[in-house]
Amino acid sequence: MSALKGLIIAFSMYSKIPTPFISLKREDMKYHLIFFPWVGAVIAGIIYLWNYIALRGHINHLTFTLIAVAIPFLVTGGFHVDGFMDTMDAIKSYKPREEKLEILKDPHIGAFSVISLATALLIYVGAINQIGKIEMLVYPISFILVRALSGIGVFVIPKAKNNGMLHTFSNNRKKYQKIVIISLIIEFIIGQSIMIIIDLKTGIVLGIVSLICFIYYRYKAIKEFGGTTGDVAGFFVTYTEIVMAIAAAVCTLV
């Protein structure tokens, strides 16, 4: 029952997919991060379906690209993009760490976040537009890898604050932490293995790139904020998805 509740909680928190209503208790939260990559699997599945429809229906490539870019945002409701924008506002402020943490909590958006998001989306569209047919079979699985790494980061990256959603998730009892971390590692390995089976070169490159992005995420979070927060985790998910698209596009060209 805890696993089922964890599944429902993961999809209700990290996606706009309708889920049954359940009363939320802290005890029910202990396994929910295991199912975070499953949201990525749904995104991947929808992109695969859209790719199939586009190929069969001879849909214009630009139309395919724009809708493919929109799919992750439609599924998640922009949940992670909000964190990306808040984080960019804080980083680009060049203020002391304490003030950056205050900016993360500010519900208003600044010019830097809008500029950063617009630039990121333009790069994202360009990258998706460049990805070839084989690489497009590999790239969607990156949504699983990114979320598995984000979940692992909850436990292995210091927290910037002693409160908040991310701190609560990482404060599970040790035995639950181990179960969640091992499960996320297995999910990452499965996703990586499928990538490599589909295309060796692209699978290896995207796997390495995802790990480099995770290392950068840890470095940047500690340097700028003293650790990670929910917003910074959203920043990681958003920028890594874009970087993975760029890597897939490069694999197409090389």
Side-chain angles (χ1 to χ4, degrees):
M1 183 58 73
S2 293
L4 178 59
K5 286 185 176 180
L7 174 64
I8 294 171
I9 291 169
F11 274 84
S12 65
M13 288 185 64
Y14 303 120
S15 79
K16 286 295 181 181
I17 298 171
T19 58
F21 173 79
I22 60 172
S23 57
L24 191 60
K25 298 178 182 178
R26 182 172 178 177
E27 185 70 12
D28 299 328
M29 304 286 285
K30 60 179 182 275
Y31 293 128
H32 88 283
L33 281 172
I34 293 175
F35 302 101
F36 188 22
W38 292 32
V39 178
V42 171
I43 295 172
I46 295 173
I47 291 177
Y48 280 133
L49 177 61
W50 170 234
N51 188 36
Y52 176 81
I53 292 171
L55 290 173
R56 289 282 181 166
H58 305 289
I59 291 173
N60 179 278
H61 195 61
L62 178 60
T63 301
F64 166 77
T65 298
L66 293 175
I67 293 178
V69 168
I71 286 171
F73 302 113
L74 293 173
V75 173
T76 64
F79 181 82
H80 307 292
V81 177
D82 176 67
F84 173 84
M85 296 181 75
D86 287 341
T87 302
M88 292 307 300
D89 260 341
I91 291 174
K92 294 293 184 179
S93 71
Y94 299 105
K95 292 183 177 180
R97 181 178 294 172
E98 292 73 18
E99 292 185 52
K100 288 178 181 175
L101 289 171
E102 289 301 317
I103 292 173
L104 288 180
K105 295 191 295 184
D106 190 342
H108 303 92
I109 61 172
F112 287 121
S113 66
V114 175
I115 294 169
S116 298
L117 180 61
T119 303
L121 285 175
L122 288 172
I123 294 171
Y124 195 18
V125 169
I128 294 293
N129 191 59
Q130 189 61 52
I131 297 176
K133 291 182 180 179
I134 296 298
E135 290 77 14
M136 185 52 76
L137 296 177
V138 179
Y139 169 68
I141 302 172
S142 65
F143 291 96
I144 299 173
L145 267 60
V146 170
R147 282 158 178 77
L149 289 173
S150 180
I152 293 169
V154 171
F155 302 101
V156 303
I157 300 176
K159 308 301 166 296
K161 301 180 292 184
N162 292 323
N163 52 41
M165 184 172 64
L166 214 64
H167 181 267
T168 300
F169 296 163
S170 65
N171 209 27
N172 281 338
R173 280 175 279 178
K174 292 294 182 181
K175 73 170 185 176
Y176 297 135
Q177 287 187 15
K178 289 181 180 178
I179 293 171
V180 174
I181 292 172
I182 292 171
S183 298
L184 291 169
I185 292 173
I186 291 172
E187 288 170 321
F188 179 90
I189 292 172
I190 291 172
Q192 174 70 104
S193 300
I194 295 172
M195 282 180 160
I196 291 173
I197 290 170
I198 296 172
D199 186 68
L200 179 63
K201 178 186 72 176
T202 307
I204 291 174
V205 169
L206 292 190
I208 293 172
V209 168
S210 70
L211 293 174
I212 291 172
C213 287
F214 182 77
I215 292 169
Y216 174 75
Y217 160 45
R218 187 181 190 281
Y219 162 77
K220 198 70 173 174
I222 294 173
K223 179 177 180 289
E224 300 287 349
F225 306 104
T228 190
T229 69
D231 284 323
V232 182
F235 164 80
F236 165 70
V237 170
T238 302
Y239 94 76
T240 305
E241 288 174 352
I242 296 171
V243 172
M244 297 283 266
I246 295 170
V250 171
C251 287
T252 302
L253 296 172
V254 175

PDB file of all heavy atoms in Angstrom, residues 74-110:
ATOM      1  N   LEU A  74       3.908  20.099 -20.891  1.00  0.00           N
ATOM      2  CA  LEU A  74       2.488  19.772 -20.752  1.00  0.00           C
ATOM      3  C   LEU A  74       2.280  18.681 -19.701  1.00  0.00           C
ATOM      4  O   LEU A  74       1.323  18.735 -18.916  1.00  0.00           O
ATOM      5  CB  LEU A  74       1.921  19.323 -22.098  1.00  0.00           C
ATOM      6  CG  LEU A  74       1.847  20.408 -23.187  1.00  0.00           C
ATOM      7  CD1 LEU A  74       1.436  19.784 -24.516  1.00  0.00           C
ATOM      8  CD2 LEU A  74       0.880  21.509 -22.790  1.00  0.00           C
ATOM      9  N   VAL A  75       3.165  17.697 -19.685  1.00  0.00           N
ATOM     10  CA  VAL A  75       3.035  16.592 -18.725  1.00  0.00           C
ATOM     11  C   VAL A  75       3.320  17.061 -17.301  1.00  0.00           C
ATOM     12  O   VAL A  75       2.616  16.691 -16.358  1.00  0.00           O
ATOM     13  CB  VAL A  75       3.976  15.426 -19.093  1.00  0.00           C
ATOM     14  CG1 VAL A  75       3.964  14.353 -17.994  1.00  0.00           C
ATOM     15  CG2 VAL A  75       3.568  14.807 -20.424  1.00  0.00           C
ATOM     16  N   THR A  76       4.352  17.895 -17.135  1.00  0.00           N
ATOM     17  CA  THR A  76       4.755  18.325 -15.788  1.00  0.00           C
ATOM     18  C   THR A  76       4.082  19.608 -15.336  1.00  0.00           C
ATOM     19  O   THR A  76       4.169  19.969 -14.164  1.00  0.00           O
ATOM     20  CB  THR A  76       6.276  18.535 -15.722  1.00  0.00           C
ATOM     21  OG1 THR A  76       6.646  19.620 -16.604  1.00  0.00           O
ATOM     22  CG2 THR A  76       7.015  17.277 -16.144  1.00  0.00           C
ATOM     23  N   GLY A  77       3.457  20.319 -16.261  1.00  0.00           N
ATOM     24  CA  GLY A  77       2.862  21.605 -15.894  1.00  0.00           C
ATOM     25  C   GLY A  77       3.915  22.670 -15.611  1.00  0.00           C
ATOM     26  O   GLY A  77       3.624  23.672 -14.952  1.00  0.00           O
ATOM     27  N   GLY A  78       5.125  22.452 -16.112  1.00  0.00           N
ATOM     28  CA  GLY A  78       6.196  23.425 -15.885  1.00  0.00           C
ATOM     29  C   GLY A  78       6.728  23.414 -14.465  1.00  0.00           C
ATOM     30  O   GLY A  78       7.358  24.382 -14.025  1.00  0.00           O
ATOM     31  N   PHE A  79       6.506  22.311 -13.756  1.00  0.00           N
ATOM     32  CA  PHE A  79       6.909  22.207 -12.344  1.00  0.00           C
ATOM     33  C   PHE A  79       8.390  22.521 -12.158  1.00  0.00           C
ATOM     34  O   PHE A  79       8.773  23.273 -11.264  1.00  0.00           O
ATOM     35  CB  PHE A  79       6.587  20.797 -11.833  1.00  0.00           C
ATOM     36  CG  PHE A  79       6.935  20.562 -10.400  1.00  0.00           C
ATOM     37  CD1 PHE A  79       6.084  20.963  -9.379  1.00  0.00           C
ATOM     38  CD2 PHE A  79       8.122  19.927 -10.045  1.00  0.00           C
ATOM     39  CE1 PHE A  79       6.400  20.745  -8.045  1.00  0.00           C
ATOM     40  CE2 PHE A  79       8.456  19.704  -8.720  1.00  0.00           C
ATOM     41  CZ  PHE A  79       7.590  20.120  -7.715  1.00  0.00           C
ATOM     42  N   HIS A  80       9.233  21.969 -13.011  1.00  0.00           N
ATOM     43  CA  HIS A  80      10.678  22.149 -12.866  1.00  0.00           C
ATOM     44  C   HIS A  80      11.149  23.471 -13.456  1.00  0.00           C
ATOM     45  O   HIS A  80      12.158  24.017 -13.013  1.00  0.00           O
ATOM     46  CB  HIS A  80      11.412  20.986 -13.528  1.00  0.00           C
ATOM     47  CG  HIS A  80      10.947  19.648 -13.057  1.00  0.00           C
ATOM     48  ND1 HIS A  80      11.170  19.197 -11.771  1.00  0.00           N
ATOM     49  CD2 HIS A  80      10.234  18.671 -13.679  1.00  0.00           C
ATOM     50  CE1 HIS A  80      10.631  17.998 -11.633  1.00  0.00           C
ATOM     51  NE2 HIS A  80      10.058  17.661 -12.763  1.00  0.00           N
ATOM     52  N   VAL A  81      10.420  23.970 -14.439  1.00  0.00           N
ATOM     53  CA  VAL A  81      10.788  25.242 -15.063  1.00  0.00           C
ATOM     54  C   VAL A  81      10.701  26.385 -14.059  1.00  0.00           C
ATOM     55  O   VAL A  81      11.513  27.318 -14.080  1.00  0.00           O
ATOM     56  CB  VAL A  81       9.891  25.525 -16.288  1.00  0.00           C
ATOM     57  CG1 VAL A  81      10.215  26.896 -16.892  1.00  0.00           C
ATOM     58  CG2 VAL A  81      10.087  24.441 -17.342  1.00  0.00           C
ATOM     59  N   ASP A  82       9.740  26.306 -13.171  1.00  0.00           N
ATOM     60  CA  ASP A  82       9.611  27.320 -12.114  1.00  0.00           C
ATOM     61  C   ASP A  82      10.890  27.383 -11.283  1.00  0.00           C
ATOM     62  O   ASP A  82      11.397  28.474 -10.979  1.00  0.00           O
ATOM     63  CB  ASP A  82       8.406  26.980 -11.222  1.00  0.00           C
ATOM     64  CG  ASP A  82       8.285  27.930 -10.047  1.00  0.00           C
ATOM     65  OD1 ASP A  82       8.005  29.117 -10.261  1.00  0.00           O
ATOM     66  OD2 ASP A  82       8.502  27.478  -8.894  1.00  0.00           O
ATOM     67  N   GLY A  83      11.433  26.219 -10.927  1.00  0.00           N
ATOM     68  CA  GLY A  83      12.680  26.175 -10.172  1.00  0.00           C
ATOM     69  C   GLY A  83      13.848  26.701 -10.983  1.00  0.00           C
ATOM     70  O   GLY A  83      14.728  27.395 -10.451  1.00  0.00           O
ATOM     71  N   PHE A  84      13.858  26.394 -12.283  1.00  0.00           N
ATOM     72  CA  PHE A  84      14.907  26.895 -13.174  1.00  0.00           C
ATOM     73  C   PHE A  84      14.911  28.414 -13.192  1.00  0.00           C
ATOM     74  O   PHE A  84      15.970  29.059 -13.069  1.00  0.00           O
ATOM     75  CB  PHE A  84      14.689  26.345 -14.588  1.00  0.00           C
ATOM     76  CG  PHE A  84      15.612  26.918 -15.629  1.00  0.00           C
ATOM     77  CD1 PHE A  84      16.880  26.384 -15.815  1.00  0.00           C
ATOM     78  CD2 PHE A  84      15.216  27.987 -16.425  1.00  0.00           C
ATOM     79  CE1 PHE A  84      17.736  26.905 -16.784  1.00  0.00           C
ATOM     80  CE2 PHE A  84      16.059  28.517 -17.385  1.00  0.00           C
ATOM     81  CZ  PHE A  84      17.328  27.975 -17.571  1.00  0.00           C
ATOM     82  N   MET A  85      13.728  29.003 -13.321  1.00  0.00           N
ATOM     83  CA  MET A  85      13.632  30.463 -13.404  1.00  0.00           C
ATOM     84  C   MET A  85      14.036  31.127 -12.086  1.00  0.00           C
ATOM     85  O   MET A  85      14.782  32.117 -12.075  1.00  0.00           O
ATOM     86  CB  MET A  85      12.217  30.872 -13.806  1.00  0.00           C
ATOM     87  CG  MET A  85      11.823  30.405 -15.204  1.00  0.00           C
ATOM     88  SD  MET A  85      10.151  30.903 -15.687  1.00  0.00           S
ATOM     89  CE  MET A  85      10.405  32.655 -16.028  1.00  0.00           C
ATOM     90  N   ASP A  86      13.571  30.577 -10.977  1.00  0.00           N
ATOM     91  CA  ASP A  86      13.941  31.137  -9.671  1.00  0.00           C
ATOM     92  C   ASP A  86      15.451  31.035  -9.443  1.00  0.00           C
ATOM     93  O   ASP A  86      16.076  31.966  -8.925  1.00  0.00           O
ATOM     94  CB  ASP A  86      13.201  30.399  -8.551  1.00  0.00           C
ATOM     95  CG  ASP A  86      11.730  30.748  -8.494  1.00  0.00           C
ATOM     96  OD1 ASP A  86      11.351  31.789  -9.053  1.00  0.00           O
ATOM     97  OD2 ASP A  86      10.954  29.976  -7.892  1.00  0.00           O
ATOM     98  N   THR A  87      16.022  29.905  -9.830  1.00  0.00           N
ATOM     99  CA  THR A  87      17.463  29.696  -9.637  1.00  0.00           C
ATOM    100  C   THR A  87      18.282  30.648 -10.502  1.00  0.00           C
ATOM    101  O   THR A  87      19.289  31.210 -10.047  1.00  0.00           O
ATOM    102  CB  THR A  87      17.846  28.244  -9.960  1.00  0.00           C
ATOM    103  OG1 THR A  87      17.091  27.359  -9.123  1.00  0.00           O
ATOM    104  CG2 THR A  87      19.324  27.997  -9.723  1.00  0.00           C
ATOM    105  N   MET A  88      17.860  30.846 -11.747  1.00  0.00           N
ATOM    106  CA  MET A  88      18.581  31.770 -12.618  1.00  0.00           C
ATOM    107  C   MET A  88      18.508  33.196 -12.101  1.00  0.00           C
ATOM    108  O   MET A  88      19.489  33.950 -12.161  1.00  0.00           O
ATOM    109  CB  MET A  88      18.031  31.695 -14.046  1.00  0.00           C
ATOM    110  CG  MET A  88      18.315  30.384 -14.752  1.00  0.00           C
ATOM    111  SD  MET A  88      20.066  29.888 -14.747  1.00  0.00           S
ATOM    112  CE  MET A  88      20.826  31.270 -15.596  1.00  0.00           C
ATOM    113  N   ASP A  89      17.353  33.587 -11.576  1.00  0.00           N
ATOM    114  CA  ASP A  89      17.233  34.915 -10.959  1.00  0.00           C
ATOM    115  C   ASP A  89      18.222  35.069  -9.814  1.00  0.00           C
ATOM    116  O   ASP A  89      18.883  36.104  -9.668  1.00  0.00           O
ATOM    117  CB  ASP A  89      15.807  35.139 -10.440  1.00  0.00           C
ATOM    118  CG  ASP A  89      14.966  35.982 -11.381  1.00  0.00           C
ATOM    119  OD1 ASP A  89      15.546  36.688 -12.232  1.00  0.00           O
ATOM    120  OD2 ASP A  89      13.726  35.943 -11.274  1.00  0.00           O
ATOM    121  N   ALA A  90      18.319  34.035  -8.987  1.00  0.00           N
ATOM    122  CA  ALA A  90      19.206  34.092  -7.823  1.00  0.00           C
ATOM    123  C   ALA A  90      20.672  34.120  -8.240  1.00  0.00           C
ATOM    124  O   ALA A  90      21.460  34.944  -7.744  1.00  0.00           O
ATOM    125  CB  ALA A  90      18.948  32.895  -6.911  1.00  0.00           C
ATOM    126  N   ILE A  91      21.057  33.254  -9.163  1.00  0.00           N
ATOM    127  CA  ILE A  91      22.455  33.186  -9.598  1.00  0.00           C
ATOM    128  C   ILE A  91      22.876  34.474 -10.284  1.00  0.00           C
ATOM    129  O   ILE A  91      23.958  35.024 -10.024  1.00  0.00           O
ATOM    130  CB  ILE A  91      22.669  31.982 -10.543  1.00  0.00           C
ATOM    131  CG1 ILE A  91      22.531  30.667  -9.771  1.00  0.00           C
ATOM    132  CG2 ILE A  91      24.044  32.057 -11.213  1.00  0.00           C
ATOM    133  CD1 ILE A  91      22.583  29.427 -10.651  1.00  0.00           C
ATOM    134  N   LYS A  92      22.012  34.987 -11.157  1.00  0.00           N
ATOM    135  CA  LYS A  92      22.348  36.189 -11.924  1.00  0.00           C
ATOM    136  C   LYS A  92      22.294  37.475 -11.083  1.00  0.00           C
ATOM    137  O   LYS A  92      22.710  38.536 -11.549  1.00  0.00           O
ATOM    138  CB  LYS A  92      21.403  36.323 -13.111  1.00  0.00           C
ATOM    139  CG  LYS A  92      21.541  35.222 -14.159  1.00  0.00           C
ATOM    140  CD  LYS A  92      22.868  35.280 -14.867  1.00  0.00           C
ATOM    141  CE  LYS A  92      22.960  34.246 -15.978  1.00  0.00           C
ATOM    142  NZ  LYS A  92      24.249  34.300 -16.687  1.00  0.00           N
ATOM    143  N   SER A  93      21.800  37.376  -9.861  1.00  0.00           N
ATOM    144  CA  SER A  93      21.779  38.562  -8.994  1.00  0.00           C
ATOM    145  C   SER A  93      23.164  38.905  -8.467  1.00  0.00           C
ATOM    146  O   SER A  93      23.437  40.043  -8.090  1.00  0.00           O
ATOM    147  CB  SER A  93      20.833  38.326  -7.807  1.00  0.00           C
ATOM    148  OG  SER A  93      21.393  37.385  -6.897  1.00  0.00           O
ATOM    149  N   TYR A  94      24.052  37.878  -8.393  1.00  0.00           N
ATOM    150  CA  TYR A  94      25.428  38.032  -7.897  1.00  0.00           C
ATOM    151  C   TYR A  94      25.456  38.607  -6.475  1.00  0.00           C
ATOM    152  O   TYR A  94      26.364  39.328  -6.099  1.00  0.00           O
ATOM    153  CB  TYR A  94      26.247  38.926  -8.835  1.00  0.00           C
ATOM    154  CG  TYR A  94      26.354  38.350 -10.227  1.00  0.00           C
ATOM    155  CD1 TYR A  94      25.599  38.886 -11.279  1.00  0.00           C
ATOM    156  CD2 TYR A  94      27.184  37.269 -10.499  1.00  0.00           C
ATOM    157  CE1 TYR A  94      25.685  38.345 -12.555  1.00  0.00           C
ATOM    158  CE2 TYR A  94      27.274  36.732 -11.782  1.00  0.00           C
ATOM    159  CZ  TYR A  94      26.511  37.277 -12.805  1.00  0.00           C
ATOM    160  OH  TYR A  94      26.597  36.747 -14.072  1.00  0.00           O
ATOM    161  N   LYS A  95      24.437  38.253  -5.714  1.00  0.00           N
ATOM    162  CA  LYS A  95      24.353  38.730  -4.342  1.00  0.00           C
ATOM    163  C   LYS A  95      24.899  37.672  -3.383  1.00  0.00           C
ATOM    164  O   LYS A  95      25.165  36.537  -3.784  1.00  0.00           O
ATOM    165  CB  LYS A  95      22.904  39.074  -4.000  1.00  0.00           C
ATOM    166  CG  LYS A  95      22.383  40.289  -4.758  1.00  0.00           C
ATOM    167  CD  LYS A  95      20.964  40.650  -4.337  1.00  0.00           C
ATOM    168  CE  LYS A  95      20.486  41.909  -5.065  1.00  0.00           C
ATOM    169  NZ  LYS A  95      19.108  42.280  -4.679  1.00  0.00           N
ATOM    170  N   PRO A  96      25.095  38.033  -2.109  1.00  0.00           N
ATOM    171  CA  PRO A  96      25.563  37.044  -1.130  1.00  0.00           C
ATOM    172  C   PRO A  96      24.600  35.855  -1.039  1.00  0.00           C
ATOM    173  O   PRO A  96      23.427  35.952  -1.398  1.00  0.00           O
ATOM    174  CB  PRO A  96      25.598  37.834   0.188  1.00  0.00           C
ATOM    175  CG  PRO A  96      25.741  39.257  -0.234  1.00  0.00           C
ATOM    176  CD  PRO A  96      24.975  39.377  -1.514  1.00  0.00           C
ATOM    177  N   ARG A  97      25.112  34.736  -0.526  1.00  0.00           N
ATOM    178  CA  ARG A  97      24.356  33.489  -0.480  1.00  0.00           C
ATOM    179  C   ARG A  97      23.003  33.642   0.215  1.00  0.00           C
ATOM    180  O   ARG A  97      21.981  33.139  -0.260  1.00  0.00           O
ATOM    181  CB  ARG A  97      25.184  32.414   0.232  1.00  0.00           C
ATOM    182  CG  ARG A  97      24.507  31.057   0.320  1.00  0.00           C
ATOM    183  CD  ARG A  97      25.425  30.055   0.984  1.00  0.00           C
ATOM    184  NE  ARG A  97      26.600  29.795   0.163  1.00  0.00           N
ATOM    185  CZ  ARG A  97      27.633  29.073   0.567  1.00  0.00           C
ATOM    186  NH1 ARG A  97      27.648  28.564   1.796  1.00  0.00           N
ATOM    187  NH2 ARG A  97      28.653  28.848  -0.242  1.00  0.00           N
ATOM    188  N   GLU A  98      22.963  34.358   1.333  1.00  0.00           N
ATOM    189  CA  GLU A  98      21.722  34.498   2.083  1.00  0.00           C
ATOM    190  C   GLU A  98      20.656  35.211   1.247  1.00  0.00           C
ATOM    191  O   GLU A  98      19.473  34.852   1.276  1.00  0.00           O
ATOM    192  CB  GLU A  98      21.961  35.289   3.380  1.00  0.00           C
ATOM    193  CG  GLU A  98      22.826  34.563   4.406  1.00  0.00           C
ATOM    194  CD  GLU A  98      24.293  34.503   4.025  1.00  0.00           C
ATOM    195  OE1 GLU A  98      24.716  35.301   3.144  1.00  0.00           O
ATOM    196  OE2 GLU A  98      25.033  33.675   4.594  1.00  0.00           O
ATOM    197  N   GLU A  99      21.083  36.214   0.489  1.00  0.00           N
ATOM    198  CA  GLU A  99      20.126  36.949  -0.345  1.00  0.00           C
ATOM    199  C   GLU A  99      19.679  36.104  -1.534  1.00  0.00           C
ATOM    200  O   GLU A  99      18.527  36.215  -1.984  1.00  0.00           O
ATOM    201  CB  GLU A  99      20.747  38.256  -0.824  1.00  0.00           C
ATOM    202  CG  GLU A  99      20.986  39.263   0.304  1.00  0.00           C
ATOM    203  CD  GLU A  99      21.492  40.591  -0.207  1.00  0.00           C
ATOM    204  OE1 GLU A  99      20.846  41.156  -1.121  1.00  0.00           O
ATOM    205  OE2 GLU A  99      22.520  41.077   0.305  1.00  0.00           O
ATOM    206  N   LYS A 100      20.568  35.267  -2.049  1.00  0.00           N
ATOM    207  CA  LYS A 100      20.177  34.360  -3.130  1.00  0.00           C
ATOM    208  C   LYS A 100      19.094  33.389  -2.662  1.00  0.00           C
ATOM    209  O   LYS A 100      18.141  33.096  -3.396  1.00  0.00           O
ATOM    210  CB  LYS A 100      21.393  33.579  -3.631  1.00  0.00           C
ATOM    211  CG  LYS A 100      22.383  34.405  -4.431  1.00  0.00           C
ATOM    212  CD  LYS A 100      23.585  33.567  -4.840  1.00  0.00           C
ATOM    213  CE  LYS A 100      24.591  34.396  -5.620  1.00  0.00           C
ATOM    214  NZ  LYS A 100      25.817  33.658  -5.945  1.00  0.00           N
ATOM    215  N   LEU A 101      19.235  32.901  -1.438  1.00  0.00           N
ATOM    216  CA  LEU A 101      18.216  31.988  -0.897  1.00  0.00           C
ATOM    217  C   LEU A 101      16.880  32.696  -0.734  1.00  0.00           C
ATOM    218  O   LEU A 101      15.818  32.087  -0.913  1.00  0.00           O
ATOM    219  CB  LEU A 101      18.695  31.419   0.444  1.00  0.00           C
ATOM    220  CG  LEU A 101      19.847  30.406   0.354  1.00  0.00           C
ATOM    221  CD1 LEU A 101      20.386  30.089   1.749  1.00  0.00           C
ATOM    222  CD2 LEU A 101      19.395  29.124  -0.337  1.00  0.00           C
ATOM    223  N   GLU A 102      16.919  33.976  -0.401  1.00  0.00           N
ATOM    224  CA  GLU A 102      15.682  34.763  -0.294  1.00  0.00           C
ATOM    225  C   GLU A 102      15.043  34.943  -1.658  1.00  0.00           C
ATOM    226  O   GLU A 102      13.817  34.902  -1.785  1.00  0.00           O
ATOM    227  CB  GLU A 102      15.970  36.123   0.345  1.00  0.00           C
ATOM    228  CG  GLU A 102      16.297  36.073   1.818  1.00  0.00           C
ATOM    229  CD  GLU A 102      15.176  35.468   2.653  1.00  0.00           C
ATOM    230  OE1 GLU A 102      13.998  35.828   2.390  1.00  0.00           O
ATOM    231  OE2 GLU A 102      15.451  34.644   3.533  1.00  0.00           O
ATOM    232  N   ILE A 103      15.873  35.139  -2.680  1.00  0.00           N
ATOM    233  CA  ILE A 103      15.353  35.290  -4.045  1.00  0.00           C
ATOM    234  C   ILE A 103      14.650  34.009  -4.493  1.00  0.00           C
ATOM    235  O   ILE A 103      13.629  34.055  -5.179  1.00  0.00           O
ATOM    236  CB  ILE A 103      16.500  35.664  -5.015  1.00  0.00           C
ATOM    237  CG1 ILE A 103      17.002  37.074  -4.709  1.00  0.00           C
ATOM    238  CG2 ILE A 103      16.038  35.575  -6.473  1.00  0.00           C
ATOM    239  CD1 ILE A 103      18.238  37.470  -5.485  1.00  0.00           C
ATOM    240  N   LEU A 104      15.195  32.863  -4.092  1.00  0.00           N
ATOM    241  CA  LEU A 104      14.557  31.579  -4.442  1.00  0.00           C
ATOM    242  C   LEU A 104      13.136  31.504  -3.888  1.00  0.00           C
ATOM    243  O   LEU A 104      12.249  30.898  -4.515  1.00  0.00           O
ATOM    244  CB  LEU A 104      15.380  30.411  -3.897  1.00  0.00           C
ATOM    245  CG  LEU A 104      16.721  30.094  -4.566  1.00  0.00           C
ATOM    246  CD1 LEU A 104      17.373  28.902  -3.882  1.00  0.00           C
ATOM    247  CD2 LEU A 104      16.552  29.825  -6.053  1.00  0.00           C
ATOM    248  N   LYS A 105      12.909  32.122  -2.747  1.00  0.00           N
ATOM    249  CA  LYS A 105      11.588  32.066  -2.114  1.00  0.00           C
ATOM    250  C   LYS A 105      10.627  33.113  -2.666  1.00  0.00           C
ATOM    251  O   LYS A 105       9.422  33.044  -2.429  1.00  0.00           O
ATOM    252  CB  LYS A 105      11.731  32.248  -0.597  1.00  0.00           C
ATOM    253  CG  LYS A 105      12.484  31.126   0.092  1.00  0.00           C
ATOM    254  CD  LYS A 105      12.380  31.209   1.604  1.00  0.00           C
ATOM    255  CE  LYS A 105      13.065  32.449   2.153  1.00  0.00           C
ATOM    256  NZ  LYS A 105      13.047  32.469   3.646  1.00  0.00           N
ATOM    257  N   ASP A 106      11.160  34.091  -3.386  1.00  0.00           N
ATOM    258  CA  ASP A 106      10.336  35.183  -3.921  1.00  0.00           C
ATOM    259  C   ASP A 106       9.441  34.651  -5.041  1.00  0.00           C
ATOM    260  O   ASP A 106       9.939  34.087  -6.019  1.00  0.00           O
ATOM    261  CB  ASP A 106      11.242  36.287  -4.460  1.00  0.00           C
ATOM    262  CG  ASP A 106      10.473  37.551  -4.818  1.00  0.00           C
ATOM    263  OD1 ASP A 106       9.235  37.486  -4.971  1.00  0.00           O
ATOM    264  OD2 ASP A 106      11.121  38.611  -4.949  1.00  0.00           O
ATOM    265  N   PRO A 107       8.114  34.799  -4.935  1.00  0.00           N
ATOM    266  CA  PRO A 107       7.210  34.266  -5.962  1.00  0.00           C
ATOM    267  C   PRO A 107       7.253  35.055  -7.273  1.00  0.00           C
ATOM    268  O   PRO A 107       6.761  34.585  -8.301  1.00  0.00           O
ATOM    269  CB  PRO A 107       5.824  34.382  -5.307  1.00  0.00           C
ATOM    270  CG  PRO A 107       5.967  35.509  -4.328  1.00  0.00           C
ATOM    271  CD  PRO A 107       7.378  35.417  -3.807  1.00  0.00           C
ATOM    272  N   HIS A 108       7.845  36.250  -7.249  1.00  0.00           N
ATOM    273  CA  HIS A 108       7.918  37.059  -8.453  1.00  0.00           C
ATOM    274  C   HIS A 108       9.099  36.622  -9.321  1.00  0.00           C
ATOM    275  O   HIS A 108      10.081  36.075  -8.826  1.00  0.00           O
ATOM    276  CB  HIS A 108       8.053  38.543  -8.103  1.00  0.00           C
ATOM    277  CG  HIS A 108       6.948  39.058  -7.240  1.00  0.00           C
ATOM    278  ND1 HIS A 108       7.030  39.082  -5.858  1.00  0.00           N
ATOM    279  CD2 HIS A 108       5.722  39.543  -7.549  1.00  0.00           C
ATOM    280  CE1 HIS A 108       5.908  39.571  -5.360  1.00  0.00           C
ATOM    281  NE2 HIS A 108       5.095  39.860  -6.370  1.00  0.00           N
ATOM    282  N   ILE A 109       8.999  36.874 -10.620  1.00  0.00           N
ATOM    283  CA  ILE A 109      10.098  36.542 -11.523  1.00  0.00           C
ATOM    284  C   ILE A 109      10.780  37.830 -11.975  1.00  0.00           C
ATOM    285  O   ILE A 109      10.157  38.888 -12.063  1.00  0.00           O
ATOM    286  CB  ILE A 109       9.622  35.742 -12.751  1.00  0.00           C
ATOM    287  CG1 ILE A 109       8.600  36.542 -13.576  1.00  0.00           C
ATOM    288  CG2 ILE A 109       9.053  34.407 -12.336  1.00  0.00           C
ATOM    289  CD1 ILE A 109       8.247  35.886 -14.896  1.00  0.00           C
ATOM    290  N   GLY A 110      12.068  37.710 -12.237  1.00  0.00           N
ATOM    291  CA  GLY A 110      12.838  38.862 -12.683  1.00  0.00           C
ATOM    292  C   GLY A 110      13.220  38.754 -14.150  1.00  0.00           C
ATOM    293  O   GLY A 110      12.959  37.747 -14.808  1.00  0.00           O
TER     294      GLY A 110
END
